[in-house]
Amino acid sequence: MTFEVDENTIIGDIMDADENTAEYFLEMGMHCLYCPASRGESIKEACEVHGVDPKELIAKLNAHFAQ
């Protein structure tokens, strides 16, 4: 399965595609990863809240899915 992430991708969709991606969110300080509100956030929204560059997170996630 190919899954590509961009800044509008919803975190819940990423987690549903592969729960092993949780480490990337935890790395950025998003420890409330499994709460319903965070699962409905986009990458862009989550990165804004946590002060993280979305491009860096998107690159890590897409590299993960490319494996």
Side-chain angles (χ1 to χ4, degrees), residues 3-6 9 11 14-15 18 20-25 28 43 47 54-67:
F3 191 90
E4 190 163 337
V5 176
D6 64 33
T9 306
I11 292 169
I14 297 167
M15 292 294 296
D18 185 348
N20 292 321
T21 58
E23 68 182 270
Y24 303 108
F25 295 102
M28 69 179 246
I43 292 288
C47 286
K55 291 176 186 168
E56 183 180 330
L57 179 59
I58 291 166
K60 287 180 181 181
L61 290 166
N62 282 326
H64 174 88
F65 282 112
Q67 294 179 8

Side-chain angles (χ1 to χ4, degrees), residues 1-59:
M1 174 180 103
T2 302
F3 191 90
E4 190 163 337
V5 176
D6 64 33
E7 68 179 18
N8 297 310
T9 306
I10 302 298
I11 292 169
D13 294 341
I14 297 167
M15 292 294 296
D16 290 344
D18 185 348
E19 282 201 8
N20 292 321
T21 58
E23 68 182 270
Y24 303 108
F25 295 102
L26 296 172
E27 239 176 47
M28 69 179 246
M30 189 173 183
H31 300 286
C32 58
L33 186 57
Y34 294 98
C35 76
S38 70
R39 285 187 53 90
E41 286 183 325
S42 69
I43 292 288
K44 181 180 179 181
E45 293 167 329
C47 286
E48 285 175 358
V49 169
H50 293 280
V52 175
D53 180 1
K55 291 176 186 168
E56 183 180 330
L57 179 59
I58 291 166

